[in-house]
Amino acid sequence: MKHEPIISTVEQVPFADLYVSPLNPRTVFSPEGIEALAENIRQLGLIQNLGGLRDADGRTGIVFGGRRLRALALLQDDPRFATVPVRIAPDQDTAETWAASENHQREQPNAADEIREYGKMAARGVAVPSIAVAFGVTEAHVYRRLKLASLPAPVLDALKSGQITLSNAAAFTISEDEAHSLEVLDRIKGEGYSDHSIRQMLKPDAVRHTDRRAVFVGLDAYKVAGGRITADLFADQSFVEDVALLDDLFAAKLAEAVEGFTAEGWKWAETIPGSYIGYHEIEDRKLDRIYPQEGALSEEQAARYDELAELSEAGALDDAGEAELAALQSVLDGGFSEDQKALAGIIVYVDSRGDLKTADGLVTREDRAAAIEAGFLRASAHLADAAEAPKSPISAALKDDLGRVATGARQHAILRDPDLLLDLLAYQLSHGLQWRKPFGLGVEDVPNWPTTEAEGYDLDARLVGSRPRDMMGKDLAKSFRAFRQKGQDHGRGELIRCLAALFRGGDEHLAALIDKETQPSIREVWTPTASNFFGRVGGAYLNDLWRDLLDLSEEHPTATSFAKLKKGEKAAKLDALFSDADLRSALGVTETQAARIDAWLPEGMK
């Protein structure tokens, strides 16, 4: 069957007469990509014409070239783009065919080919901004691709053939050993390994920058000492290469800390290599523990403490009040006297987060008698020298079994008191008990607070309270009694608060069920503002959002005046649209538009 050629003409059409046709298949755009394309057109001109269909009003709807049209909208300060070359379709059927064909024939460049092309241009001395303009992409995109351009050729070949993913290839950028990289590549091609696993294969001996030793020493100090760091551009992490040097610096800084504690009057100070002190650490070394001498508050201070504590529990205490409460708590907690320090020591360690921690008030066997005489310890049959006691006929394994039986008996008994169990759970979740926690439960933080400015975020105060205070060295029995004396309502409130803060959803089916029951609403707690959202996206995005929310065409005066604003002014204007009733009234916002504004959420947040 012979097809007749399509007869069309290319005309110079005023930009103001152009709009995106409903036939145009592309509806989702990256604001940053549109801005990059606009700069490409500004510098290189419009290389490819747009295609459109003239409507009954004499305007032209663009059926292919929607991205170019949006980019041209950003260039209307340049008279070169006041008119645009458009291939005009002779009829509706042709326009529909063009739209479908343009979308179907569009082929994204293979990532490996794109990486190699960027690399060739950079090798010829072409600057990154020029590469970005030539390809109509952002400079950040070019920098990421150029990082990959230095990968061994077999890695890029594997990427092009689909044997590894782009993120897999990115993992190889941390390696400087090509031979080892190729060994790892042979192992993982086509096997679906995760990026994390590939990084571990490439750097089996390296330490991440989040390792407690690296955090404690500090990366700057490590680098000053001559340490090497490999950055992973794609995973926002770094690797410490000289582990032996890091260990030396870690040990030296710990030793310095020990010297500081002995200078404070402690009889001795030692370090342990681990990230926590288990109960066995003190028990195996047959150490006793003395506690700081409690302070006393005056009648006036005690009344003020109760007042501040009540406000703090309700989440209604400001920073000054929290500082005052902490000062009173410090007085109440007391401290070790010089006489106590002269008979006791301290164990120093670094926890999993890289923070320096201590277990203090520890008395050795040699100092027990003096500590008893001074009244810091009570005499006990257990204080007799172990060497004088006869060897126990009970083996360690039998002792362990008997301990398990005793634990079972305790569990059997406490099962009869559900209220006590719930109080204990509330107490553990709301206090930092470390290894002395009554339940064999572990918890982890579930982030619920933005990393930047939290303006416009009105979360329930019970979810944004301070972390449980450190209970190291505190009398837990005394503390728990005080906790229970506040009543069941307080205990249940703490339990509910902590459980809510730990909630993360579960799998998609369970999360959907919980959402159906609780009906969460993001806009109930979050409102987009200039600082928390609008100022963090591109100007073209703001233009589109302004028009969409107010049902404006591109040529509407309210839309064109908004588009001429600086980005900061646009962000402030949208901020006001979401919060200022007077502005809505001035703009004539309808009830439907107001409902749309009040329910609006960014893509991916719904």
Side-chain angles (χ1 to χ4, degrees):
M1 179 177 178
K2 183 177 180 181
H3 293 276
E4 294 295 329
I6 295 175
I7 300 174
S8 61
T9 59
V10 176
E11 300 179 15
Q12 291 289 335
V13 182
F15 179 82
D17 291 341
L18 301 176
Y19 63 94
V20 177
S21 168
L23 297 176
N24 194 295
R26 298 198 67 182
T27 59
V28 179
F29 300 92
S30 160
E32 294 79 7
I34 296 297
E35 291 173 359
L37 178 57
E39 187 59 29
N40 175 281
I41 296 173
R42 186 188 296 278
Q43 295 194 30
L44 304 180
L46 186 62
I47 298 173
Q48 184 177 1
N49 294 336
L50 285 66
L53 176 67
R54 185 162 284 123
D55 61 24
D57 296 327
R59 302 182 68 224
T60 302
I62 298 302
V63 298
F64 67 80
R67 289 185 73 249
R68 278 163 275 159
L69 182 63
R70 286 172 169 82
L72 287 165
L74 304 179
L75 301 174
Q76 291 308 296
D77 57 342
D78 189 329
R80 292 180 298 159
F81 306 110
T83 61
V84 180
V86 180
R87 181 171 295 278
I88 305 297
D91 50 50
Q92 177 83 9
D93 290 341
T94 299
E96 291 178 359
T97 300
W98 282 358
S101 177
E102 173 82 1
N103 189 50
H104 179 72
Q105 295 299 328
R106 182 181 294 110
E107 181 179 353
Q108 295 297 326
N110 183 278
D113 292 336
E114 185 184 18
I115 291 164
R116 285 179 164 129
E117 188 62 31
Y118 289 0
K120 290 176 183 177
M121 293 182 72
R124 295 199 305 267
V126 180
V128 166
S130 298
I131 298 175
V133 168
F135 283 87
V137 295
T138 63
E139 292 182 24
H141 179 80
V142 175
Y143 278 116
R144 287 193 294 269
R145 290 294 194 257
L146 287 178
K147 179 70 174 177
L148 293 167
S150 61
L151 289 172
V155 176
L156 293 179
D157 291 340
L159 172 61
K160 184 171 183 177
S161 63
Q163 293 175 296
I164 62 173
T165 66
L166 183 60
S167 62
N168 287 164
F172 279 86
T173 60
I174 67 171
S175 175
E176 297 163 350
D177 185 339
E178 180 170 341
H180 182 55
S181 294
L182 297 183
E183 290 176 5
V184 171
L185 178 65
D186 287 339
R187 290 170 57 191
I188 63 99
K189 281 193 298 188
E191 297 296 331
Y193 277 90
S194 69
D195 306 338
H196 175 72
S197 297
I198 294 171
R199 290 187 182 96
Q200 286 194 316
M201 294 180 199
L202 292 167
K203 295 281 185 181
D205 299 322
V207 169
R208 286 180 173 79
H209 74 284
T210 54
D211 184 273
R212 68 187 184 99
R213 292 167 293 174
V215 173
F216 180 62
V217 170
L219 294 182
D220 289 340
Y222 167 78
K223 288 188 285 188
V224 167
R228 295 178 296 112
I229 291 178
T230 299
D232 186 342
L233 177 66
F234 299 92
D236 193 24
Q237 66 182 357
S238 302
F239 292 90
V240 174
E241 301 287 352
D242 301 317
V243 181
L245 173 61
L246 178 64
D247 285 337
D248 289 343
L249 294 173
F250 181 77
K253 190 169 182 179
L254 262 181
E256 183 180 345
V258 165
E259 291 179 5
F261 287 119
T262 54
E264 291 176 5
W266 291 103
K267 182 173 182 180
W268 56 270
E270 297 178 5
T271 64
I272 60 170
S275 61
Y276 74 100
I277 297 180
Y279 74 93
H280 59 81
E281 185 77 32
I282 295 173
E283 186 175 290
D284 291 349
R285 296 174 62 169
K286 295 182 172 57
L287 298 171
D288 286 293
R289 193 163 203 164
I290 61 176
Y291 296 96
Q293 297 176 346
E294 292 187 2
L297 298 177
S298 67
E299 186 174 338
E300 181 181 350
Q301 286 177 318
R304 179 60 174 164
Y305 177 88
D306 291 340
E307 177 186 354
L308 293 172
E310 185 175 347
L311 289 172
S312 180
E313 289 284 353
L317 201 57
D318 58 18
D319 291 342
E322 290 288 359
E324 185 181 356
L325 178 60
L328 291 173
Q329 184 65 53
S330 178
V331 173
L332 197 59
D333 290 342
F336 290 97
S337 68
E338 294 303 317
D339 289 340
Q340 285 179 310
K341 290 181 179 180
L343 291 173
I346 187 169
I347 294 178
V348 185
Y349 64 101
V350 174
D351 71 8
S352 59
R353 292 180 296 186
D355 295 329
L356 188 70
K357 298 290 184 180
T358 61
D360 42 23
L362 303 175
V363 178
T364 64
R365 293 169 59 189
E366 291 76 13
D367 293 317
R368 281 175 182 164
I372 292 171
E373 185 177 352
F376 303 144
L377 283 175
R378 289 185 299 174
S380 168
H382 294 294
L383 299 180
D385 191 341
E388 298 176 1
K391 183 177 179 180
S392 173
I394 299 176
S395 68
L398 177 56
K399 183 178 180 181
D400 180 67
D401 279 343
L402 294 176
R404 296 183 184 206
V405 170
T407 296
R410 290 188 176 95
Q411 293 172 346
H412 181 85
I414 200 171
L415 194 59
R416 296 189 289 263
D417 194 340
D419 288 339
L420 177 58
L421 279 168
L422 291 175
D423 285 342
L424 272 174
L425 178 59
Y427 179 70
Q428 175 173 324
L429 292 176
S430 58
H431 291 69
L433 306 183
Q434 299 177 346
W435 72 90
R436 298 186 294 166
K437 58 190 179 185
F439 294 104
L441 297 172
V443 298
E444 58 185 273
D445 288 337
V446 179
N448 65 358
W449 201 254
T451 58
T452 56
E453 178 61 48
E455 178 186 342
Y457 190 41
D458 187 23
L459 201 61
D460 191 306
R462 290 174 294 176
L463 294 174
V464 296
S466 58
R467 294 173 60 86
R469 59 192 178 94
D470 188 2
M471 299 298 290
M472 177 70 76
K474 305 295 172 56
D475 184 333
L476 298 191
K478 179 180 177 182
S479 174
F480 181 57
R481 282 196 300 270
F483 180 84
R484 295 198 83 194
Q485 286 171 0
K486 295 180 180 179
Q488 285 193 348
D489 288 344
H490 174 77
R492 298 306 182 273
E494 285 292 273
L495 181 59
I496 291 169
R497 176 182 70 82
C498 293
L499 290 176
L502 294 171
F503 178 70
R504 69 184 331 132
D507 72 3
E508 59 179 333
H509 302 294
L510 178 58
L513 173 64
I514 301 302
D515 285 351
K516 184 177 179 180
E517 291 283 337
T518 60
Q519 294 296 306
S521 169
I522 294 174
R523 285 298 302 274
E524 181 182 351
V525 299
W526 182 81
T527 300
T529 66
S531 61
N532 72 19
F533 183 77
F534 301 126
R536 300 170 66 181
V537 296
Y541 181 98
L542 300 181
N543 292 344
D544 290 343
L545 178 58
W546 179 262
R547 292 197 306 271
D548 290 344
L549 293 174
L550 298 177
D551 297 313
L552 301 173
S553 63
E554 289 190 20
E555 66 275 7
H556 192 286
T558 302
T560 56
S561 61
F562 180 89
K564 293 176 182 178
L565 297 175
K566 295 179 180 178
K567 179 181 172 182
E569 295 171 333
K570 294 178 183 179
K573 195 88 169 180
L574 274 163
D575 187 316
L577 181 63
F578 276 71
S579 60
D580 189 341
D582 291 338
L583 177 62
R584 292 193 188 187
S585 178
L587 292 170
V589 173
T590 66
E591 290 185 6
T592 301
Q593 291 168 342
R596 183 187 307 151
I597 293 168
D598 293 339
W600 182 85
L601 288 170
E603 300 85 348
M605 197 180 188
K606 302 176 182 179

